[in-house]
Amino acid sequence: MKLIGMVGTNSNTSTNRKLLQFMRKHFSSQAEIEICEIKHLPAFDEPEDRQAPTEVQALCEQIAAADGVIISTPEYDHTIPAALKSAMEWISYTTRPLINKPVLIVGASHGLLGTSRAQMHLRQILDAPELKARVLPSSEFLLGHSLAAFDESGDLVYANKVQELEEIFEEFQLFVKINQQLVKDNHFKTEQSKAFSWESAIWGGERA
């Protein structure tokens, strides 16, 4: 199983990157997790030639080739970072590789509550017609006090959180396999979704 682990911030010192690096190592016998950065992506600005930057196209190709995506997001002012929102806008503007793609949302924060509000908002964003990802339902992995959560080897030191993560990851693997069959059986609907445009929609919400 090939998965993409997206670091949902442009910070160079984020513990969300450490969380994905731990997952890549801890689950290496179960899946290949390729960590992707968004910090090099430009802020979204619809180009006049309607061609996304090379960096965006490369990210979309990585997502399209993966069986599923893990997004690790911090929480800034009760929502996701601007860099992650911008990345989602680029992805929805291009080939829309997240449509019907299984997604697991995790998050780490310095405080006690984890990233619950940010994860809720990200779920809403991923449900947009141009993204329409299949997010693992009823599962949240919230890592609080993340500054003290990893040892010098990058291992997660909270035993209860390791167990929780293992259970969620097992559930996500099954979710990915089920989704692969659903996509195979409904390929035409996936292509229809990718062809969606606000210009042809009869309801509001179009970009300005």
Side-chain angles (χ1 to χ4, degrees):
M1 184 174 291
K2 293 185 177 181
L3 305 175
I4 294 293
M6 186 182 297
V7 182
T9 174
N10 55 5
S11 169
N12 290 321
T13 59
S14 176
T15 51
N16 284 275
R17 184 178 293 102
K18 290 184 177 181
L19 175 57
L20 287 175
Q21 290 170 341
F22 169 74
M23 293 180 70
R24 179 178 61 185
K25 180 172 64 173
H26 192 71
F27 299 118
S28 60
S29 63
Q30 301 170 51
E32 177 186 336
I33 301 177
E34 179 183 3
I35 297 179
C36 291
E37 299 282 353
I38 62 171
K39 60 183 179 180
H40 60 286
L41 301 181
F44 178 78
D45 184 14
E46 188 170 355
E48 292 183 3
D49 61 2
R50 303 185 69 83
Q51 294 295 315
T54 303
E55 305 97 313
V56 174
Q57 294 180 34
L59 174 61
C60 290
E61 289 172 2
Q62 288 177 298
I63 294 172
D67 297 312
V69 178
I70 305 168
I71 303 176
S72 188
T73 179
E75 183 170 309
Y76 297 170
D77 298 328
H78 292 181
T79 190
I80 63 173
L84 180 54
K85 181 61 169 64
S86 179
M88 294 297 107
E89 290 167 1
W90 275 123
I91 290 169
S92 71
Y93 180 79
T94 56
T95 54
R96 299 175 178 173
L98 281 175
I99 288 180
N100 289 337
K101 185 73 67 173
V103 173
L104 170 63
I105 301 175
V106 298
S109 70
H110 299 174
L112 174 64
L113 297 178
T115 60
S116 58
R117 295 182 183 90
Q119 291 195 31
M120 178 184 66
H121 289 171
L122 184 54
R123 284 176 182 271
Q124 292 175 326
I125 293 167
L126 289 169
D127 196 41
E130 301 98 324
L131 291 167
K132 211 170 186 179
R134 289 185 170 162
V135 184
L136 180 67
S138 305
S139 293
E140 287 184 320
F141 182 77
L142 309 172
L143 180 62
H145 299 305
S146 60
L147 287 175
F150 302 94
D151 62 20
E152 293 181 356
S153 300
D155 291 324
L156 185 57
V157 299
Y158 304 145
N160 62 322
K161 282 297 180 180
V162 173
Q163 181 179 352
E164 181 184 339
L165 190 59
E166 289 173 344
E167 292 172 354
I168 289 176
F169 191 76
E170 183 178 358
E171 184 180 351
F172 184 60
Q173 287 180 289
L174 178 59
F175 185 68
V176 170
K177 292 176 182 178
I178 293 173
N179 185 74
Q180 287 173 334
Q181 187 61 48
L182 288 173
V183 170
K184 181 180 178 181
D185 294 343
N186 294 278
H187 178 71
F188 178 68
K189 290 184 179 180
T190 299
E191 294 306 310
Q192 277 188 321
S193 296
K194 289 186 177 182
F196 172 87
S197 70
W198 284 113
E199 288 78 6
S200 61
I202 61 173
W203 31 287
E206 59 188 288
R207 293 181 181 183

